[in-house]
Amino acid sequence: MEEEAGVLKEGFLVKRGHVVRNWKVRWFVLLQDKLLYYKIEGGKKEPSPKGRILLDGCTITCPCLEYENRPLLIKLKTKTNTDYFLECCSREERDSWALDITGAIHAGHPVQVQELHRMKNSFKLLENISLHNIVERMYDSSTGIKLTRNLDQGNRYKETFTGSALVDWLISNSFAVSRFEAVTLASMLMDENFIRPVGVRSTEATRSSDPSEKFLDDSTALYMSAESSKKNTSSKEEVHFNISELSGTIVKQGFLVKQGHKRKNWKVRKFVLRADPGFLHYYDPTKEDNKPVGGFSLRGCLVSALEDNGVPAGVKGNVQGNLFKIITKNDIHYYIQASSKAERVQWIEAIKPLT
C-alpha cells in the first residue's frame, strides 16, 4: 500500500480532468513525496488510487486565477510539465492545502522551508509601485479582478468584489508576495479612495483603531471601485426570497457526502451553513455556476449522529461510519456522511444552535 509512508493531510478536492476537461471530486491523500487521489463510489473510497502526482520538482501556484469561476484553485506543475488544477471549498482550506503541499515539495530542502516561512511573515512593498497602475490593471477587462453581484443585509450590489478576492488578485499579479502584504496594499487603495467598502462587515472594519484590521481578507466582506459606488445599490423590496436565504453569514462550509432523495445514490456536495437566516445549502462542486442544487431552512430541524456499527435504517447501500441525519420540520430526512468523527461533531455542533 502506497499510504504506509505516513499521511500528512487528506480530504476532498475538485480536480480538473486531463483528457476531458471536466471537474470531478476526488479524495486526496498527501504523503511525503506524492499526492494520491481516489474515486469515491457509494460513499466509499476505492481501495487503490485513481492516480498520483509526484511532488519532486513540482511547482505550486496559489492563488491560481486561471479559471474565473473557480477562484479557490491550486495549480501544480510536475517535473514533466503536467498541470494539475485542484479546487478547495474555502480560502482557509485552500491556503492550508497549499502550505502543506509546499512543505512536502521542499521537505528535503530545509533552507527553502525557512525561506518560505520568512516570506510568509515578511513585508516589503515594491518601491516603485504605483497605486494608479494597480487600479488600472484591476479594472482591465481581460486581466482585471472579476466583478460580481452580491447581497448584503437585503441590499443588492452590482460590480463588487470580496476582500479575499482582491488579496488573491494582488498576489497573483505579483503586486504582493504574502497575504499580509496584499492586505496592507488594499488598505492603501482604500485610504486613497480608489476602492470603498460596501455592506456591513467591510464598513464596520474601517472603524477599527488597528490599521491592519481596516481591510478584511475575507470572502464575506464586500468592496467596490469608488467610481462605480454611487449608482450601485438597489433596495430591499426588490430582493427575491431565495436570494435572502443566501444573504446570511457563512458559519461553516465544506465537502460532505449526501444520499440522494430519489435514486438514493451518494454524491459529494459542498455544504454551506449560514446564520441570520439559518439555512443549509448544498452545491454540486463539479459545476461552475455556483448556484445551490438544494437547501432548507434550519428552523425546527432535528440533527443527530447515527450509529457507527452497521448500516442505519434509511441508509441505502453499504454506507456506514460518520453519518448524521437532519429531519426538517416538513419531515424530510437528509442523510449525510462526514469524513471523520471529529468532522461530524463539528457540523452537528454548528447546526444545532440554528435550529
Side-chain angles (χ1 to χ4, degrees):
M1 280 293 287
E2 287 189 78
E3 283 188 40
E4 282 169 17
V7 174
L8 301 175
K9 188 179 183 70
E10 57 185 328
F12 286 116
L13 296 171
V14 188
K15 176 187 163 292
R16 190 194 75 176
H18 281 304
V19 186
V20 182
R21 294 290 167 91
N22 56 355
W23 297 80
K24 292 272 171 70
V25 182
R26 298 287 181 243
W27 181 262
F28 277 78
V29 177
L30 176 63
L31 306 176
Q32 290 290 353
D33 59 344
K34 61 175 95 70
L35 196 51
L36 305 176
Y37 54 93
Y38 296 79
K39 218 173 151 179
I40 297 285
E41 277 300 328
K44 273 203 174 66
K45 181 179 94 173
E46 290 194 338
S48 47
K50 180 129 179 69
R52 60 189 57 73
I53 303 169
L54 299 176
L55 297 177
D56 183 42
C58 224
T59 57
I60 181 168
T61 306
C62 176
C64 164
L65 304 183
E66 289 188 31
Y67 285 83
E68 67 167 30
N69 291 329
R70 295 183 181 272
L72 299 172
L73 284 179
I74 294 170
K75 179 183 177 182
L76 292 173
K77 190 185 267 297
T78 65
K79 205 155 60 171
T80 54
N81 275 340
T82 306
D83 289 341
Y84 289 89
F85 291 90
L86 312 176
E87 186 182 33
C88 305
C89 68
S90 67
R91 186 185 65 73
E92 295 74 17
E93 192 67 14
R94 179 198 67 188
D95 292 352
S96 164
W97 270 102
L99 201 63
D100 290 344
I101 293 169
T102 306
I105 291 171
H106 296 303
H109 315 279
V111 176
Q112 280 176 301
V113 176
Q114 280 172 356
E115 179 63 15
L116 270 169
H117 284 289
R118 193 190 64 72
M119 255 174 61
K120 199 170 162 263
N121 301 315
S122 74
F123 176 63
K124 186 176 141 302
L125 197 57
L126 300 171
E127 272 133 45
N128 57 355
I129 209 155
S130 147
L131 294 180
H132 285 277
N133 176 26
I134 294 176
V135 173
E136 242 171 65
R137 288 268 297 279
M138 257 176 84
Y139 301 117
D140 181 281
S141 56
S142 55
T143 57
I145 192 165
K146 190 189 175 202
L147 301 173
T148 56
R149 288 170 178 267
N150 279 291
L151 191 94
D152 185 278
Q153 300 290 307
N155 283 322
R156 234 186 311 192
Y157 299 96
K158 299 176 208 159
E159 299 186 345
T160 57
F161 47 87
T162 66
S164 53
L166 178 56
V167 169
D168 282 354
W169 185 87
L170 289 167
I171 295 171
S172 182
N173 285 274
S174 306
F175 288 118
V177 177
S178 63
R179 299 196 81 80
F180 175 67
E181 216 172 284
V183 166
T184 308
L185 202 47
S187 301
M188 288 164 69
L189 290 168
M190 203 159 59
D191 288 343
E192 298 295 324
N193 293 321
F194 287 113
I195 63 171
R196 75 183 263 295
V198 286
V200 177
R201 283 214 66 191
S202 53
T203 307
E204 278 178 358
T206 58
R207 300 188 188 112
S208 167
S209 56
D210 182 344
S212 67
E213 289 172 10
K214 285 184 185 296
F215 179 89
L216 297 177
D217 177 6
D218 188 299
S219 55
T220 59
L222 300 180
Y223 297 88
M224 63 168 56
S225 146
E227 300 269 301
S228 60
S229 65
K230 296 162 191 70
K231 51 183 187 294
N232 235 311
T233 63
S234 54
S235 72
K236 294 189 180 191
E237 285 69 41
E238 279 186 44
V239 176
H240 190 264
F241 171 71
N242 286 352
I243 298 177
S244 71
E245 284 182 21
L246 302 170
S247 68
T249 310
I250 294 176
V251 177
K252 187 170 177 61
Q253 53 189 332
F255 294 123
L256 296 167
V257 189
K258 176 190 159 292
Q259 179 174 272
H261 285 303
K262 292 181 184 136
R263 292 172 59 197
K264 306 292 184 197
N265 52 353
W266 290 82
K267 294 261 175 79
V268 178
R269 294 290 180 243
K270 176 183 171 176
F271 278 79
V272 178
L273 177 64
R274 292 180 173 89
D276 305 318
F279 270 84
L280 186 61
H281 291 95
Y282 49 95
Y283 300 73
D284 181 345
T286 65
K287 301 277 188 288
E288 289 200 2
D289 58 10
N290 202 27
K291 288 183 185 142
V293 290
F296 50 91
S297 166
L298 291 169
R299 187 174 291 172
C301 280
L302 296 171
V303 56
S304 59
L306 296 175
E307 284 295 320
D308 279 336
N309 47 351
V311 179
V315 171
K316 293 284 184 287
N318 189 23
V319 176
Q320 50 189 292
N322 311 319
L323 289 162
F324 63 100
K325 175 165 79 167
I326 302 173
I327 306 174
T328 68
K329 68 175 181 191
N330 301 330
D331 202 36
I332 297 168
H333 293 226
Y334 288 87
Y335 294 94
I336 299 166
Q337 185 182 43
S339 55
S340 67
K341 279 192 175 63
E343 187 182 48
R344 174 173 66 181
V345 169
Q346 286 164 10
W347 273 99
I348 291 173
E349 285 180 357
I351 291 167
K352 269 188 175 161
L354 304 175
T355 60

